[in-house]
Amino acid sequence: MAVQHPTRGPADLPHRLHYAWVVAGVTFVVLLIGAGIRATPGILIVPLEREFGWSTATIAGAVAVNIFLYGMIGPFAVAIIERFGLRRSVCAALLVLAAGTAATVFMRASWQMVALWGVLVGSGSGMVANVLGATVAGRWFGRHRGLVVGLLTASSATGQLVFLPLLAHIVVDHGWRAVALTVAATALGLVPLVALLMRDRPADLGLPRYGERALQPAPKGGVNPARRALQGLAAGARSRDFWLLAGTFFVCGASTNGLVGTHLIPACLDRGIPEVTAASMLALMGICDLLGTTASGWLTDRVDPRKLLAWYYGLRGLSLIFLPQAFDGSLYGLSLFAVFYGLDWIATVPPTVALAGRAFGEENAALMFGWIAAAHQIGAACAAWAAGLVRTGTGDYASAFVAAGFLCLVAAAMAMLIGRDAPRAEPVPA
């Protein structure tokens, strides 16, 4: 039950920065670095092929495991955070990421890549994924929540902006092992910042959420994290809206980090475009998505989220269908694709979180979004593996890009059915 705080609140502290913004800032940096680490295999595919003779399909299989676990850890990550707190959970995840990436310099067999980049890095990055942003926004913000979700989601695109061109240069100049050590050191260096500045809840500091006056005390106790997560899945499985949200987000994952995020660089190399130039295209997408996803968060507070999703998926589908033609032209065509596609790379997240809150209640939005995000990563894993098979079998990615484009058009139609004539879903046990 909310308790009215007698002395402190946003209106009483007009000249002080609410600590919610400090927590959001730290979370932005964590998500940025986590996304950069998760995107790193995209620039390692060709160097690993050259050194070990592994096929694209073999390497893509390890990436698929990474993406799958990145998604499946999400709902359990929410429950783990509820049980052990933000600070301890995020620090542990960063240590796992540092250990997993550093150990890859000793790889000699493909199964070791699956174990390290796939299992360890996938599990660690799943703890510092979009569900972390949704959790922070829900705990710390009563006002501007959609905008905050948009900003935190955009940090994953910014991770590409900051990391990939630099890492591509390191690959060219020093080899892929230097890249692995660079991202490991970055993750490890972030641990002290999180330990110093991250806080679990506003109540720990005697504060209400940003934009509110009522103090929300931390809940006592709680169920086992695994049981809590599975209860959420059981509640979602009985909801039509859950399946619509999960289905559209499956397509979102298949058409973004699974396909373009993993395979755009090798697709560019197939057409004679250098690694650094290709990584710069992903960075341009990151710039555009930083703008597009932040704007999407602002719009989600004001516009029907279903309509936003329909527009996003429709425009993304058209851009992917256009992509093979962009490769056949000059870099101008590919740059045009990067801008157009990048504007809604993950702009789907704020309206999806908002619709999950409508269907399951604000208190369950982060947990249910965790399962919806798991569907996103299952789609991404399927696309990463399937596109690798397509390239291995045909020598070209064109059919994979076009197929993903048509899937996006289907998702646009599905989005308009969310929340239509459907009763509110049953609450998830706390």
Side-chain angles (χ1 to χ4, degrees), residues 314-365:
L315 293 173
R316 183 186 300 171
L318 294 176
S319 65
L320 285 169
I321 293 169
F322 164 75
L323 180 55
Q325 285 69 46
F327 281 122
D328 293 334
S330 64
L331 281 178
Y332 173 79
L334 196 57
S335 299
L336 181 63
F337 165 80
V339 171
F340 190 73
Y341 175 89
L343 285 171
D344 78 347
W345 170 279
I346 45 175
T348 54
V349 173
T352 301
V353 172
L355 289 168
R358 290 184 185 180
F360 297 96
E362 287 186 6
E363 68 280 5
N364 299 312

mmCIF file of all heavy atoms in Angstrom, residues 314-365:
data_model
loop_
_atom_site.group_PDB
_atom_site.id
_atom_site.type_symbol
_atom_site.label_atom_id
_atom_site.label_comp_id
_atom_site.label_asym_id
_atom_site.label_seq_id
_atom_site.Cartn_x
_atom_site.Cartn_y
_atom_site.Cartn_z
ATOM 1 N N GLY A 314 5.231 -2.397 -40.497
ATOM 2 C CA GLY A 314 4.997 -2.204 -41.924
ATOM 3 C C GLY A 314 6.173 -1.531 -42.613
ATOM 4 O O GLY A 314 6.640 -1.979 -43.673
ATOM 5 N N LEU A 315 6.697 -0.463 -42.018
ATOM 6 C CA LEU A 315 7.830 0.246 -42.610
ATOM 7 C C LEU A 315 9.095 -0.613 -42.593
ATOM 8 O O LEU A 315 9.881 -0.597 -43.548
ATOM 9 C CB LEU A 315 8.068 1.560 -41.867
ATOM 10 C CG LEU A 315 6.959 2.612 -42.012
ATOM 11 C CD1 LEU A 315 7.225 3.794 -41.097
ATOM 12 C CD2 LEU A 315 6.840 3.068 -43.463
ATOM 13 N N ARG A 316 9.276 -1.370 -41.537
ATOM 14 C CA ARG A 316 10.454 -2.243 -41.482
ATOM 15 C C ARG A 316 10.386 -3.315 -42.565
ATOM 16 O O ARG A 316 11.388 -3.639 -43.210
ATOM 17 C CB ARG A 316 10.562 -2.904 -40.107
ATOM 18 C CG ARG A 316 11.803 -3.778 -39.964
ATOM 19 C CD ARG A 316 11.806 -4.539 -38.657
ATOM 20 N NE ARG A 316 11.779 -3.631 -37.525
ATOM 21 C CZ ARG A 316 11.600 -4.028 -36.269
ATOM 22 N NH1 ARG A 316 11.426 -5.313 -36.004
ATOM 23 N NH2 ARG A 316 11.593 -3.159 -35.284
ATOM 24 N N GLY A 317 9.187 -3.875 -42.767
ATOM 25 C CA GLY A 317 9.034 -4.889 -43.798
ATOM 26 C C GLY A 317 9.392 -4.357 -45.174
ATOM 27 O O GLY A 317 10.102 -5.015 -45.952
ATOM 28 N N LEU A 318 8.917 -3.162 -45.487
ATOM 29 C CA LEU A 318 9.219 -2.575 -46.796
ATOM 30 C C LEU A 318 10.719 -2.329 -46.951
ATOM 31 O O LEU A 318 11.286 -2.533 -48.037
ATOM 32 C CB LEU A 318 8.447 -1.274 -46.971
ATOM 33 C CG LEU A 318 6.913 -1.412 -47.049
ATOM 34 C CD1 LEU A 318 6.264 -0.033 -47.121
ATOM 35 C CD2 LEU A 318 6.503 -2.252 -48.249
ATOM 36 N N SER A 319 11.385 -1.894 -45.887
ATOM 37 C CA SER A 319 12.816 -1.617 -45.987
ATOM 38 C C SER A 319 13.612 -2.899 -46.203
ATOM 39 O O SER A 319 14.601 -2.903 -46.953
ATOM 40 C CB SER A 319 13.304 -0.880 -44.736
ATOM 41 O OG SER A 319 13.201 -1.697 -43.588
ATOM 42 N N LEU A 320 13.213 -4.014 -45.580
ATOM 43 C CA LEU A 320 13.935 -5.274 -45.762
ATOM 44 C C LEU A 320 13.721 -5.844 -47.167
ATOM 45 O O LEU A 320 14.637 -6.436 -47.749
ATOM 46 C CB LEU A 320 13.491 -6.288 -44.709
ATOM 47 C CG LEU A 320 14.046 -6.053 -43.299
ATOM 48 C CD1 LEU A 320 13.346 -6.932 -42.293
ATOM 49 C CD2 LEU A 320 15.553 -6.289 -43.261
ATOM 50 N N ILE A 321 12.521 -5.673 -47.698
ATOM 51 C CA ILE A 321 12.266 -6.123 -49.066
ATOM 52 C C ILE A 321 13.131 -5.326 -50.053
ATOM 53 O O ILE A 321 13.592 -5.843 -51.073
ATOM 54 C CB ILE A 321 10.769 -5.998 -49.400
ATOM 55 C CG1 ILE A 321 9.963 -7.006 -48.549
ATOM 56 C CG2 ILE A 321 10.504 -6.236 -50.883
ATOM 57 C CD1 ILE A 321 8.464 -6.800 -48.600
ATOM 58 N N PHE A 322 13.398 -4.069 -49.699
ATOM 59 C CA PHE A 322 14.226 -3.209 -50.549
ATOM 60 C C PHE A 322 15.723 -3.517 -50.434
ATOM 61 O O PHE A 322 16.494 -3.245 -51.351
ATOM 62 C CB PHE A 322 13.975 -1.741 -50.166
ATOM 63 C CG PHE A 322 15.000 -0.769 -50.672
ATOM 64 C CD1 PHE A 322 15.028 -0.389 -52.009
ATOM 65 C CD2 PHE A 322 15.951 -0.217 -49.813
ATOM 66 C CE1 PHE A 322 15.977 0.513 -52.486
ATOM 67 C CE2 PHE A 322 16.894 0.689 -50.274
ATOM 68 C CZ PHE A 322 16.902 1.053 -51.618
ATOM 69 N N LEU A 323 16.149 -4.138 -49.333
ATOM 70 C CA LEU A 323 17.581 -4.278 -49.037
ATOM 71 C C LEU A 323 18.393 -4.961 -50.151
ATOM 72 O O LEU A 323 19.487 -4.482 -50.480
ATOM 73 C CB LEU A 323 17.777 -5.002 -47.704
ATOM 74 C CG LEU A 323 19.230 -5.213 -47.257
ATOM 75 C CD1 LEU A 323 19.989 -3.900 -47.203
ATOM 76 C CD2 LEU A 323 19.267 -5.908 -45.891
ATOM 77 N N PRO A 324 17.943 -6.073 -50.734
ATOM 78 C CA PRO A 324 18.767 -6.667 -51.807
ATOM 79 C C PRO A 324 19.046 -5.701 -52.957
ATOM 80 O O PRO A 324 20.130 -5.734 -53.545
ATOM 81 C CB PRO A 324 17.915 -7.865 -52.264
ATOM 82 C CG PRO A 324 17.118 -8.239 -51.054
ATOM 83 C CD PRO A 324 16.784 -6.931 -50.403
ATOM 84 N N GLN A 325 18.077 -4.841 -53.275
ATOM 85 C CA GLN A 325 18.304 -3.835 -54.311
ATOM 86 C C GLN A 325 19.317 -2.777 -53.845
ATOM 87 O O GLN A 325 20.085 -2.251 -54.650
ATOM 88 C CB GLN A 325 17.000 -3.153 -54.702
ATOM 89 C CG GLN A 325 16.076 -4.006 -55.581
ATOM 90 C CD GLN A 325 15.489 -5.190 -54.835
ATOM 91 O OE1 GLN A 325 15.019 -5.035 -53.711
ATOM 92 N NE2 GLN A 325 15.500 -6.364 -55.452
ATOM 93 N N ALA A 326 19.322 -2.488 -52.540
ATOM 94 C CA ALA A 326 20.281 -1.518 -52.005
ATOM 95 C C ALA A 326 21.713 -2.022 -52.164
ATOM 96 O O ALA A 326 22.632 -1.252 -52.447
ATOM 97 C CB ALA A 326 19.977 -1.231 -50.538
ATOM 98 N N PHE A 327 21.924 -3.325 -51.987
ATOM 99 C CA PHE A 327 23.256 -3.893 -52.179
ATOM 100 C C PHE A 327 23.728 -3.769 -53.627
ATOM 101 O O PHE A 327 24.917 -3.621 -53.888
ATOM 102 C CB PHE A 327 23.269 -5.374 -51.786
ATOM 103 C CG PHE A 327 23.340 -5.616 -50.316
ATOM 104 C CD1 PHE A 327 22.364 -6.351 -49.665
ATOM 105 C CD2 PHE A 327 24.391 -5.118 -49.560
ATOM 106 C CE1 PHE A 327 22.427 -6.592 -48.307
ATOM 107 C CE2 PHE A 327 24.471 -5.350 -48.193
ATOM 108 C CZ PHE A 327 23.484 -6.088 -47.569
ATOM 109 N N ASP A 328 22.784 -3.849 -54.564
ATOM 110 C CA ASP A 328 23.152 -3.838 -55.972
ATOM 111 C C ASP A 328 23.500 -2.445 -56.492
ATOM 112 O O ASP A 328 24.035 -2.298 -57.586
ATOM 113 C CB ASP A 328 22.012 -4.408 -56.828
ATOM 114 C CG ASP A 328 21.813 -5.900 -56.559
ATOM 115 O OD1 ASP A 328 22.791 -6.553 -56.149
ATOM 116 O OD2 ASP A 328 20.693 -6.391 -56.749
ATOM 117 N N GLY A 329 23.173 -1.416 -55.708
ATOM 118 C CA GLY A 329 23.474 -0.047 -56.122
ATOM 119 C C GLY A 329 24.732 0.465 -55.454
ATOM 120 O O GLY A 329 25.632 -0.279 -55.077
ATOM 121 N N SER A 330 24.794 1.762 -55.286
ATOM 122 C CA SER A 330 25.948 2.379 -54.637
ATOM 123 C C SER A 330 25.746 2.369 -53.120
ATOM 124 O O SER A 330 24.725 1.926 -52.607
ATOM 125 C CB SER A 330 26.092 3.824 -55.116
ATOM 126 O OG SER A 330 24.970 4.590 -54.705
ATOM 127 N N LEU A 331 26.750 2.870 -52.411
ATOM 128 C CA LEU A 331 26.623 2.984 -50.959
ATOM 129 C C LEU A 331 25.501 3.930 -50.567
ATOM 130 O O LEU A 331 24.999 3.870 -49.441
ATOM 131 C CB LEU A 331 27.944 3.469 -50.353
ATOM 132 C CG LEU A 331 29.046 2.416 -50.188
ATOM 133 C CD1 LEU A 331 30.298 3.056 -49.626
ATOM 134 C CD2 LEU A 331 28.582 1.277 -49.300
ATOM 135 N N TYR A 332 25.086 4.801 -51.484
ATOM 136 C CA TYR A 332 23.965 5.697 -51.190
ATOM 137 C C TYR A 332 22.705 4.896 -50.877
ATOM 138 O O TYR A 332 21.979 5.215 -49.932
ATOM 139 C CB TYR A 332 23.718 6.616 -52.383
ATOM 140 C CG TYR A 332 22.466 7.464 -52.244
ATOM 141 C CD1 TYR A 332 22.449 8.615 -51.464
ATOM 142 C CD2 TYR A 332 21.292 7.097 -52.898
ATOM 143 C CE1 TYR A 332 21.303 9.375 -51.331
ATOM 144 C CE2 TYR A 332 20.140 7.845 -52.771
ATOM 145 C CZ TYR A 332 20.142 8.997 -51.996
ATOM 146 O OH TYR A 332 18.997 9.744 -51.863
ATOM 147 N N GLY A 333 22.434 3.846 -51.666
ATOM 148 C CA GLY A 333 21.245 3.035 -51.430
ATOM 149 C C GLY A 333 21.309 2.324 -50.099
ATOM 150 O O GLY A 333 20.309 2.237 -49.370
ATOM 151 N N LEU A 334 22.490 1.797 -49.737
ATOM 152 C CA LEU A 334 22.635 1.111 -48.455
ATOM 153 C C LEU A 334 22.517 2.092 -47.301
ATOM 154 O O LEU A 334 21.954 1.768 -46.249
ATOM 155 C CB LEU A 334 23.974 0.393 -48.421
ATOM 156 C CG LEU A 334 24.160 -0.670 -47.332
ATOM 157 C CD1 LEU A 334 23.078 -1.727 -47.424
ATOM 158 C CD2 LEU A 334 25.541 -1.302 -47.445
ATOM 159 N N SER A 335 23.033 3.311 -47.483
ATOM 160 C CA SER A 335 22.904 4.334 -46.445
ATOM 161 C C SER A 335 21.448 4.726 -46.258
ATOM 162 O O SER A 335 20.983 4.952 -45.129
ATOM 163 C CB SER A 335 23.736 5.564 -46.816
ATOM 164 O OG SER A 335 25.106 5.234 -46.920
ATOM 165 N N LEU A 336 20.701 4.806 -47.373
ATOM 166 C CA LEU A 336 19.275 5.113 -47.288
ATOM 167 C C LEU A 336 18.546 4.029 -46.512
ATOM 168 O O LEU A 336 17.701 4.321 -45.660
ATOM 169 C CB LEU A 336 18.690 5.249 -48.694
ATOM 170 C CG LEU A 336 17.201 5.584 -48.789
ATOM 171 C CD1 LEU A 336 16.917 6.951 -48.177
ATOM 172 C CD2 LEU A 336 16.738 5.547 -50.250
ATOM 173 N N PHE A 337 18.878 2.774 -46.775
ATOM 174 C CA PHE A 337 18.292 1.672 -46.005
ATOM 175 C C PHE A 337 18.629 1.809 -44.532
ATOM 176 O O PHE A 337 17.764 1.631 -43.661
ATOM 177 C CB PHE A 337 18.807 0.326 -46.531
ATOM 178 C CG PHE A 337 18.552 -0.814 -45.580
ATOM 179 C CD1 PHE A 337 17.301 -1.407 -45.511
ATOM 180 C CD2 PHE A 337 19.558 -1.268 -44.739
ATOM 181 C CE1 PHE A 337 17.061 -2.445 -44.622
ATOM 182 C CE2 PHE A 337 19.325 -2.309 -43.849
ATOM 183 C CZ PHE A 337 18.068 -2.897 -43.792
ATOM 184 N N ALA A 338 19.897 2.110 -44.216
ATOM 185 C CA ALA A 338 20.327 2.202 -42.822
ATOM 186 C C ALA A 338 19.539 3.263 -42.067
ATOM 187 O O ALA A 338 19.136 3.058 -40.913
ATOM 188 C CB ALA A 338 21.823 2.504 -42.753
ATOM 189 N N VAL A 339 19.274 4.397 -42.700
ATOM 190 C CA VAL A 339 18.508 5.461 -42.051
ATOM 191 C C VAL A 339 17.050 5.044 -41.874
ATOM 192 O O VAL A 339 16.482 5.128 -40.781
ATOM 193 C CB VAL A 339 18.598 6.767 -42.869
ATOM 194 C CG1 VAL A 339 17.635 7.818 -42.324
ATOM 195 C CG2 VAL A 339 20.028 7.299 -42.853
ATOM 196 N N PHE A 340 16.438 4.572 -42.959
ATOM 197 C CA PHE A 340 15.013 4.236 -42.947
ATOM 198 C C PHE A 340 14.730 3.084 -41.990
ATOM 199 O O PHE A 340 13.812 3.131 -41.170
ATOM 200 C CB PHE A 340 14.577 3.890 -44.376
ATOM 201 C CG PHE A 340 13.095 3.766 -44.556
ATOM 202 C CD1 PHE A 340 12.289 4.882 -44.544
ATOM 203 C CD2 PHE A 340 12.506 2.526 -44.746
ATOM 204 C CE1 PHE A 340 10.914 4.778 -44.713
ATOM 205 C CE2 PHE A 340 11.139 2.404 -44.914
ATOM 206 C CZ PHE A 340 10.346 3.537 -44.905
ATOM 207 N N TYR A 341 15.553 2.033 -42.092
ATOM 208 C CA TYR A 341 15.396 0.863 -41.234
ATOM 209 C C TYR A 341 15.777 1.186 -39.792
ATOM 210 O O TYR A 341 15.128 0.743 -38.842
ATOM 211 C CB TYR A 341 16.270 -0.264 -41.775
ATOM 212 C CG TYR A 341 16.307 -1.510 -40.940
ATOM 213 C CD1 TYR A 341 15.378 -2.527 -41.121
ATOM 214 C CD2 TYR A 341 17.301 -1.696 -39.980
ATOM 215 C CE1 TYR A 341 15.423 -3.678 -40.356
ATOM 216 C CE2 TYR A 341 17.361 -2.835 -39.213
ATOM 217 C CZ TYR A 341 16.416 -3.837 -39.408
ATOM 218 O OH TYR A 341 16.472 -4.969 -38.644
ATOM 219 N N GLY A 342 16.836 1.978 -39.628
ATOM 220 C CA GLY A 342 17.327 2.261 -38.289
ATOM 221 C C GLY A 342 16.351 3.030 -37.426
ATOM 222 O O GLY A 342 16.337 2.873 -36.200
ATOM 223 N N LEU A 343 15.511 3.866 -38.050
ATOM 224 C CA LEU A 343 14.582 4.675 -37.261
ATOM 225 C C LEU A 343 13.612 3.833 -36.439
ATOM 226 O O LEU A 343 13.113 4.287 -35.412
ATOM 227 C CB LEU A 343 13.806 5.630 -38.182
ATOM 228 C CG LEU A 343 14.600 6.838 -38.683
ATOM 229 C CD1 LEU A 343 13.808 7.583 -39.749
ATOM 230 C CD2 LEU A 343 14.950 7.778 -37.521
ATOM 231 N N ASP A 344 13.328 2.599 -36.879
ATOM 232 C CA ASP A 344 12.438 1.766 -36.045
ATOM 233 C C ASP A 344 13.061 0.405 -35.731
ATOM 234 O O ASP A 344 12.375 -0.581 -35.539
ATOM 235 C CB ASP A 344 11.064 1.614 -36.696
ATOM 236 C CG ASP A 344 11.023 0.607 -37.829
ATOM 237 O OD1 ASP A 344 12.092 0.184 -38.298
ATOM 238 O OD2 ASP A 344 9.911 0.240 -38.245
ATOM 239 N N TRP A 345 14.398 0.384 -35.641
ATOM 240 C CA TRP A 345 15.115 -0.865 -35.308
ATOM 241 C C TRP A 345 14.509 -1.543 -34.079
ATOM 242 O O TRP A 345 14.135 -2.713 -34.107
ATOM 243 C CB TRP A 345 16.588 -0.542 -35.095
ATOM 244 C CG TRP A 345 17.431 -1.643 -34.519
ATOM 245 C CD1 TRP A 345 17.538 -2.001 -33.218
ATOM 246 C CD2 TRP A 345 18.306 -2.523 -35.246
ATOM 247 N NE1 TRP A 345 18.426 -3.031 -33.064
ATOM 248 C CE2 TRP A 345 18.907 -3.374 -34.295
ATOM 249 C CE3 TRP A 345 18.642 -2.652 -36.590
ATOM 250 C CZ2 TRP A 345 19.833 -4.359 -34.657
ATOM 251 C CZ3 TRP A 345 19.561 -3.639 -36.939
ATOM 252 C CH2 TRP A 345 20.137 -4.477 -35.979
ATOM 253 N N ILE A 346 14.435 -0.852 -32.968
ATOM 254 C CA ILE A 346 13.763 -1.396 -31.790
ATOM 255 C C ILE A 346 12.782 -0.381 -31.207
ATOM 256 O O ILE A 346 12.533 -0.358 -29.998
ATOM 257 C CB ILE A 346 14.761 -1.880 -30.720
ATOM 258 C CG1 ILE A 346 15.888 -0.872 -30.512
ATOM 259 C CG2 ILE A 346 15.288 -3.249 -31.044
ATOM 260 C CD1 ILE A 346 16.832 -1.259 -29.392
ATOM 261 N N ALA A 347 12.218 0.451 -32.084
ATOM 262 C CA ALA A 347 11.176 1.378 -31.643
ATOM 263 C C ALA A 347 9.933 0.642 -31.185
ATOM 264 O O ALA A 347 9.028 1.228 -30.571
ATOM 265 C CB ALA A 347 10.823 2.340 -32.782
ATOM 266 N N THR A 348 9.863 -0.663 -31.466
ATOM 267 C CA THR A 348 8.713 -1.475 -31.058
ATOM 268 C C THR A 348 8.657 -1.711 -29.550
ATOM 269 O O THR A 348 7.612 -2.092 -29.030
ATOM 270 C CB THR A 348 8.770 -2.841 -31.760
ATOM 271 O OG1 THR A 348 10.045 -3.436 -31.503
ATOM 272 C CG2 THR A 348 8.566 -2.690 -33.266
ATOM 273 N N VAL A 349 9.761 -1.500 -28.839
ATOM 274 C CA VAL A 349 9.789 -1.875 -27.418
ATOM 275 C C VAL A 349 8.863 -1.013 -26.555
ATOM 276 O O VAL A 349 8.048 -1.567 -25.792
ATOM 277 C CB VAL A 349 11.234 -1.859 -26.873
ATOM 278 C CG1 VAL A 349 11.236 -2.070 -25.356
ATOM 279 C CG2 VAL A 349 12.056 -2.938 -27.553
ATOM 280 N N PRO A 350 8.918 0.334 -26.610
ATOM 281 C CA PRO A 350 8.026 1.106 -25.729
ATOM 282 C C PRO A 350 6.540 0.783 -25.899
ATOM 283 O O PRO A 350 5.844 0.568 -24.886
ATOM 284 C CB PRO A 350 8.347 2.565 -26.107
ATOM 285 C CG PRO A 350 9.757 2.507 -26.604
ATOM 286 C CD PRO A 350 9.860 1.212 -27.339
ATOM 287 N N PRO A 351 5.986 0.706 -27.137
ATOM 288 C CA PRO A 351 4.569 0.345 -27.226
ATOM 289 C C PRO A 351 4.288 -1.079 -26.780
ATOM 290 O O PRO A 351 3.209 -1.364 -26.239
ATOM 291 C CB PRO A 351 4.224 0.552 -28.713
ATOM 292 C CG PRO A 351 5.520 0.591 -29.426
ATOM 293 C CD PRO A 351 6.525 1.117 -28.457
ATOM 294 N N THR A 352 5.238 -1.993 -26.957
ATOM 295 C CA THR A 352 5.023 -3.366 -26.506
ATOM 296 C C THR A 352 4.979 -3.442 -24.990
ATOM 297 O O THR A 352 4.125 -4.136 -24.402
ATOM 298 C CB THR A 352 6.125 -4.291 -27.059
ATOM 299 O OG1 THR A 352 6.111 -4.246 -28.495
ATOM 300 C CG2 THR A 352 5.918 -5.718 -26.608
ATOM 301 N N VAL A 353 5.880 -2.714 -24.316
ATOM 302 C CA VAL A 353 5.848 -2.662 -22.845
ATOM 303 C C VAL A 353 4.537 -2.044 -22.360
ATOM 304 O O VAL A 353 3.908 -2.536 -21.409
ATOM 305 C CB VAL A 353 7.050 -1.866 -22.309
ATOM 306 C CG1 VAL A 353 6.924 -1.634 -20.811
ATOM 307 C CG2 VAL A 353 8.356 -2.592 -22.621
ATOM 308 N N ALA A 354 4.092 -0.976 -23.025
ATOM 309 C CA ALA A 354 2.838 -0.327 -22.630
ATOM 310 C C ALA A 354 1.659 -1.268 -22.792
ATOM 311 O O ALA A 354 0.775 -1.338 -21.918
ATOM 312 C CB ALA A 354 2.629 0.933 -23.468
ATOM 313 N N LEU A 355 1.606 -2.024 -23.885
ATOM 314 C CA LEU A 355 0.505 -2.953 -24.098
ATOM 315 C C LEU A 355 0.555 -4.114 -23.117
ATOM 316 O O LEU A 355 -0.492 -4.608 -22.680
ATOM 317 C CB LEU A 355 0.543 -3.468 -25.546
ATOM 318 C CG LEU A 355 0.151 -2.433 -26.605
ATOM 319 C CD1 LEU A 355 0.504 -2.936 -27.995
ATOM 320 C CD2 LEU A 355 -1.336 -2.105 -26.513
ATOM 321 N N ALA A 356 1.760 -4.554 -22.725
ATOM 322 C CA ALA A 356 1.873 -5.590 -21.697
ATOM 323 C C ALA A 356 1.339 -5.077 -20.363
ATOM 324 O O ALA A 356 0.674 -5.810 -19.620
ATOM 325 C CB ALA A 356 3.328 -6.030 -21.555
ATOM 326 N N GLY A 357 1.608 -3.799 -20.048
ATOM 327 C CA GLY A 357 1.076 -3.206 -18.820
ATOM 328 C C GLY A 357 -0.435 -3.126 -18.844
ATOM 329 O O GLY A 357 -1.099 -3.368 -17.829
ATOM 330 N N ARG A 358 -1.022 -2.785 -19.988
ATOM 331 C CA ARG A 358 -2.478 -2.731 -20.097
ATOM 332 C C ARG A 358 -3.099 -4.112 -19.907
ATOM 333 O O ARG A 358 -4.156 -4.257 -19.290
ATOM 334 C CB ARG A 358 -2.881 -2.188 -21.467
ATOM 335 C CG ARG A 358 -2.593 -0.706 -21.674
ATOM 336 C CD ARG A 358 -3.129 -0.267 -23.027
ATOM 337 N NE ARG A 358 -2.766 1.115 -23.319
ATOM 338 C CZ ARG A 358 -3.120 1.750 -24.440
ATOM 339 N NH1 ARG A 358 -3.844 1.111 -25.360
ATOM 340 N NH2 ARG A 358 -2.758 3.006 -24.637
ATOM 341 N N ALA A 359 -2.447 -5.124 -20.465
ATOM 342 C CA ALA A 359 -3.020 -6.466 -20.433
ATOM 343 C C ALA A 359 -2.841 -7.142 -19.080
ATOM 344 O O ALA A 359 -3.724 -7.890 -18.643
ATOM 345 C CB ALA A 359 -2.380 -7.320 -21.533
ATOM 346 N N PHE A 360 -1.721 -6.889 -18.399
ATOM 347 C CA PHE A 360 -1.393 -7.645 -17.193
ATOM 348 C C PHE A 360 -1.229 -6.785 -15.941
ATOM 349 O O PHE A 360 -0.969 -7.317 -14.870
ATOM 350 C CB PHE A 360 -0.109 -8.454 -17.424
ATOM 351 C CG PHE A 360 -0.235 -9.478 -18.507
ATOM 352 C CD1 PHE A 360 0.180 -9.198 -19.799
ATOM 353 C CD2 PHE A 360 -0.802 -10.709 -18.246
ATOM 354 C CE1 PHE A 360 0.059 -10.130 -20.808
ATOM 355 C CE2 PHE A 360 -0.935 -11.664 -19.243
ATOM 356 C CZ PHE A 360 -0.512 -11.372 -20.531
ATOM 357 N N GLY A 361 -1.350 -5.455 -16.076
ATOM 358 C CA GLY A 361 -1.176 -4.571 -14.938
ATOM 359 C C GLY A 361 0.257 -4.085 -14.821
ATOM 360 O O GLY A 361 1.195 -4.810 -15.174
ATOM 361 N N GLU A 362 0.429 -2.856 -14.336
ATOM 362 C CA GLU A 362 1.766 -2.270 -14.244
ATOM 363 C C GLU A 362 2.702 -3.103 -13.390
ATOM 364 O O GLU A 362 3.895 -3.195 -13.671
ATOM 365 C CB GLU A 362 1.676 -0.852 -13.676
ATOM 366 C CG GLU A 362 1.111 0.175 -14.639
ATOM 367 C CD GLU A 362 1.197 1.579 -14.064
ATOM 368 O OE1 GLU A 362 1.803 1.729 -12.980
ATOM 369 O OE2 GLU A 362 0.677 2.511 -14.697
ATOM 370 N N GLU A 363 2.169 -3.709 -12.328
ATOM 371 C CA GLU A 363 3.026 -4.450 -11.417
ATOM 372 C C GLU A 363 3.607 -5.705 -12.060
ATOM 373 O O GLU A 363 4.602 -6.258 -11.591
ATOM 374 C CB GLU A 363 2.254 -4.814 -10.141
ATOM 375 C CG GLU A 363 1.131 -5.838 -10.322
ATOM 376 C CD GLU A 363 -0.159 -5.238 -10.882
ATOM 377 O OE1 GLU A 363 -0.172 -4.040 -11.227
ATOM 378 O OE2 GLU A 363 -1.158 -5.984 -10.971
ATOM 379 N N ASN A 364 2.970 -6.186 -13.123
ATOM 380 C CA ASN A 364 3.441 -7.390 -13.807
ATOM 381 C C ASN A 364 4.037 -7.103 -15.181
ATOM 382 O O ASN A 364 4.412 -8.044 -15.886
ATOM 383 C CB ASN A 364 2.276 -8.381 -13.970
ATOM 384 C CG ASN A 364 1.703 -8.823 -12.645
ATOM 385 O OD1 ASN A 364 2.435 -9.199 -11.743
ATOM 386 N ND2 ASN A 364 0.389 -8.771 -12.512
ATOM 387 N N ALA A 365 4.087 -5.825 -15.572
ATOM 388 C CA ALA A 365 4.500 -5.488 -16.938
ATOM 389 C C ALA A 365 5.915 -5.967 -17.242
ATOM 390 O O ALA A 365 6.175 -6.541 -18.314
ATOM 391 C CB ALA A 365 4.396 -3.980 -17.161
#
